[in-house]
Amino acid sequence: MESDRELIELANKGDSDAFEALYWRYRDWVYRLAWRFTGNRADALDVLQETFIYLLGKFPEFDLTASMTTFLYPVVRHISITIRNKTSQFASEEKVLEESGAPKSEENNHNRSELAAVLIVLPDEQREVLLMRFVDDMSLQEIAAALDIPLGTVKSRLHNALHTLRSDRRTRDYFLE
């Protein structure tokens, strides 16, 4: 299996199969992220399409200087916000948790709704960093690069979000183990 950089090098030379491989590798990730920002399937699919049209436009001179998710995150975010503002629809945090891939069970539904209730009261910047770290599994450095903010800002936003979650009686149990 070729690395992202190898696929980009091939795509820069006009290899459409290499671009297609990048599409299939990141399609689901882009969709989940877009859904988190837009809150609905149709808009998330539009964001998916627009994101890969944007990426295609970067070739044949594309130079990846970070991980592909670090490159794609601000693109997906910007396109999602633009589309969301056009449709004036906002994602509920409970739906975000459902799409995050967390296992579904009757017993988890109550805990997940409490977690969603706490997540919704976090400031947008803290919630975004928290989800990037734990849902998207991005490193702190990748988050800083994707949001174009200092690493210390990422750390403080994450720290403050976790502090809020640890302090709230509805989510305290997540931190006991």
Side-chain angles (χ1 to χ4, degrees):
M1 180 150 97
E2 290 144 337
S3 71
D4 290 348
R5 293 191 193 282
E6 290 169 332
L7 290 172
I8 289 168
E9 188 176 315
L10 291 170
N12 275 331
K13 294 176 183 173
D15 185 340
S16 62
D17 290 339
F19 183 82
E20 185 177 345
L22 286 169
Y23 170 80
W24 288 108
R25 186 174 290 174
Y26 291 100
R27 176 189 69 150
D28 293 341
W29 182 86
V30 168
Y31 173 80
R32 282 190 308 272
L33 181 60
W35 195 97
R36 197 164 76 209
F37 282 116
T38 63
N40 71 67
R41 184 180 193 282
D43 288 347
L45 288 171
D46 287 346
V47 172
L48 174 67
Q49 180 178 338
E50 291 297 320
T51 298
F52 282 96
I53 289 170
Y54 174 82
L55 179 60
L56 184 60
K58 291 291 189 184
F59 293 98
E61 303 294 323
F62 185 53
D63 181 27
L64 185 65
T65 58
S67 72
M68 186 59 100
T69 54
T70 301
F71 171 78
L72 289 174
Y73 188 91
V75 175
V76 173
R77 181 178 188 237
H78 174 73
I79 294 170
S80 296
I81 290 169
T82 300
I83 287 175
R84 184 183 68 195
N85 288 342
K86 285 181 185 176
T87 60
S88 300
Q89 296 176 348
F90 296 96
S92 76
E93 289 305 318
E94 193 157 15
K95 288 182 182 176
V96 168
L97 291 174
E98 288 173 14
E99 288 289 315
S100 72
K104 294 179 180 179
S105 74
E106 284 298 317
E107 165 178 320
N108 282 342
N109 284 341
H110 180 67
N111 290 341
R112 288 178 44 198
S113 63
E114 286 183 343
L115 179 58
V118 176
L119 283 176
I120 205 160
V121 299
L122 287 175
D124 290 343
E125 297 85 11
Q126 290 178 15
R127 184 174 49 251
E128 181 175 36
V129 168
L130 183 80
L131 292 173
M132 290 173 79
R133 180 69 186 109
F134 296 109
V135 174
D136 299 327
D137 198 31
M138 295 175 77
S139 71
L140 299 178
Q141 292 80 7
E142 289 174 323
I143 295 168
L147 297 178
D148 195 26
I149 58 175
L151 181 60
T153 302
V154 171
K155 289 178 179 180
S156 69
R157 287 179 184 176
L158 184 59
H159 172 79
N160 291 333
L162 290 172
H163 176 73
T164 299
L165 293 175
R166 280 187 196 104
S167 301
D168 193 290
R169 65 171 175 70
R170 298 169 293 182
T171 54
R172 194 174 305 137
D173 292 344
Y174 285 98
F175 297 94
L176 292 178
E177 294 180 16

